[in-house]
Amino acid sequence: AALPALVLGAGLLVAAWRWLRGAARPGRGGSMRGKTVIITGANSGLGRAAAAELLRMRARVIMGCRDRARAERAAREIRAEVGERADGGGELVVRELDLASLRSVRAFCHRVLQEESRLDVLINNAGIFQCPYMKTEDGFEMQFGVNHLGHFLLTNLLLGLLKNSAPSRIVVVSSKLYKYGEINFEDLNSEISYNKSFCYSRSKLANILFARELARRLEGTGVTVNSLHPGIVRTNLGRHVNIPLLAKPLFNLVSWAFFKTPLEGAQTSIYLASSPDVEGVSGKYFGDCKEEELLPKAMDDLVARKLWDISEVMVGLLK
């Protein structure tokens, strides 16, 4: 009798803790009516949650996704969740975007520049996590290629539209795991050695350095850039992580109890995209909708500039 009572008690405590955490979630920003937002990887996880919330706030949301069929299905589900508004406002648009292909990134941006008169927010959200060694269409190590280089090219190609739409915002989703990464300029493509955990951390450190250097370059333009970590979230990002079969029930219980839901994890992205509290704030790093301190290696401006210069060559912006 003692064991069931202990399990029940622990379950009630966890449920109460989860309820309190949800109740403490910051409120959404004001209306986003008339604003256009691009979210990469918006068909699942954090991106899907952010798309639903920003649509609820009446934004025009462009879902940039690799798998068009899955994205269209997610869009239908989001529309059903949010509901049609009698007063109009809010629109969900699906566009194909494969960040592992520079050709796809260029085609996506070309269409956006042709069809969209403004771009108020760009959320660089999509990512790949601890995959086996593989290369993008252009020959880049997959995690560095998707998480950093794909977004680097995407952002640069859309900068003109963002400037013309100022005040506008760029939001870069990074990770606390940046702390375990190093920028090794001698082996950015991991051809000498590959460690899937280290390479993920390196790509997330690159995200922060990119946001920092971009913020410096955009001073005075009315375009702000901030990076964030969402916390540990229950998403399909960890699909490449192998968990022993016998450990899966325990892992599922722990993740339900202590990991954030996608909506909870997306709160900082939504906050940076919409809140008047961060109007004009740029070059900062956030977690749980608050500014946080970075390790010195994520504030190294010389490394950030060198990474920018090399990235320009890698994606073909400079010869």
Side-chain angles (χ1 to χ4, degrees):
L3 183 59
L6 184 63
V7 171
L8 178 62
L12 289 172
L13 282 172
V14 167
W17 178 80
R18 284 189 55 77
W19 181 86
L20 287 171
R21 190 178 71 188
R25 194 173 69 230
R28 296 191 297 268
S31 172
M32 293 287 283
R33 180 190 290 275
K35 296 187 183 296
T36 297
V37 181
I38 290 176
I39 307 176
T40 66
N43 61 290
S44 65
L46 297 173
R48 186 191 184 284
E53 288 300 286
L54 291 167
L55 178 65
R56 202 185 305 274
M57 295 159 66
R58 295 176 166 81
R60 172 178 165 82
V61 180
I62 300 173
M63 303 168 64
C65 303
R66 179 175 54 84
D67 188 324
R68 188 177 183 91
R70 288 181 59 198
E72 293 284 7
R73 185 165 60 249
R76 288 193 297 272
E77 292 168 356
I78 291 170
R79 291 187 193 105
E81 288 170 19
V82 173
E84 297 295 328
R85 294 191 177 273
D87 60 350
E91 185 181 5
L92 211 53
V93 180
V94 173
R95 294 286 180 263
E96 191 172 327
L97 170 64
D98 183 357
L99 290 157
S101 163
L102 299 183
R103 176 179 48 82
S104 175
V105 173
R106 290 182 184 277
F108 172 86
C109 292
H110 178 72
R111 185 168 183 182
V112 167
L113 295 175
Q114 280 192 318
E115 296 179 351
E116 305 298 328
S117 60
R118 62 180 303 108
L119 177 58
D120 300 275
V121 182
L122 170 61
I123 303 180
N124 289 340
N125 165 82
I128 188 166
F129 177 72
Q130 293 193 10
C131 61
Y133 186 78
M134 58 182 80
K135 290 186 176 182
T136 69
E137 179 180 287
D138 305 279
F140 305 127
E141 185 275 311
M142 186 63 72
Q143 295 188 91
F144 191 74
V146 169
N147 299 351
H148 170 61
L149 291 174
H151 282 120
F152 179 88
L153 178 61
L154 175 80
T155 306
N156 272 281
L157 293 179
L158 295 175
L159 272 184
L161 187 56
L162 283 158
K163 289 176 182 177
N164 291 337
S165 308
S168 53
R169 305 180 183 192
I170 299 169
V171 179
V172 179
V173 179
S174 181
S175 165
K176 271 190 173 179
L177 293 176
Y178 86 86
K179 296 176 180 180
Y180 305 104
E182 301 291 341
I183 304 297
N184 177 9
F185 289 111
E186 303 304 315
D187 192 27
L188 278 181
N189 213 32
S190 302
E191 290 174 337
I192 298 173
S193 65
Y194 180 72
N195 177 288
K196 63 183 182 180
S197 300
F198 168 81
C199 286
Y200 177 76
S201 296
R202 176 163 65 193
S203 72
K204 294 289 104 179
L205 175 59
N207 287 158
I208 296 171
L209 292 168
F210 163 58
R212 185 175 179 86
E213 174 63 10
L214 182 56
R216 184 187 70 80
R217 289 170 179 251
L218 290 175
E219 285 177 7
T221 65
V223 184
T224 61
V225 191
N226 292 290
S227 59
L228 68 104
H229 75 83
I232 304 175
V233 187
R234 291 197 310 278
T235 71
N236 63 359
L237 188 67
R239 61 188 177 276
H240 293 293
V241 178
N242 292 318
I243 299 168
L245 189 62
L246 292 175
K248 278 191 176 179
L250 179 60
F251 175 81
N252 291 337
L253 178 63
V254 169
S255 67
W256 176 85
F258 298 106
F259 290 11
K260 291 181 178 180
T261 66
L263 180 56
E264 289 168 344
Q267 288 304 305
T268 306
S269 293
I270 297 163
Y271 173 75
L272 290 174
S274 64
S275 176
D277 295 348
V278 288
E279 188 173 338
V281 175
S282 193
K284 305 300 182 183
Y285 173 74
F286 287 79
D288 291 325
C289 301
K290 298 186 294 290
E291 186 182 337
E292 294 191 359
E293 292 295 318
L294 285 164
L295 294 180
K297 66 181 173 183
M299 297 188 292
D300 190 323
D301 290 335
L302 290 177
V303 171
R305 291 176 195 183
K306 184 174 180 180
L307 177 63
W308 181 286
D309 292 342
I310 291 174
S311 299
E312 279 188 316
V313 175
M314 293 178 81
V315 302
L317 289 173
L318 284 181
K319 298 297 180 186

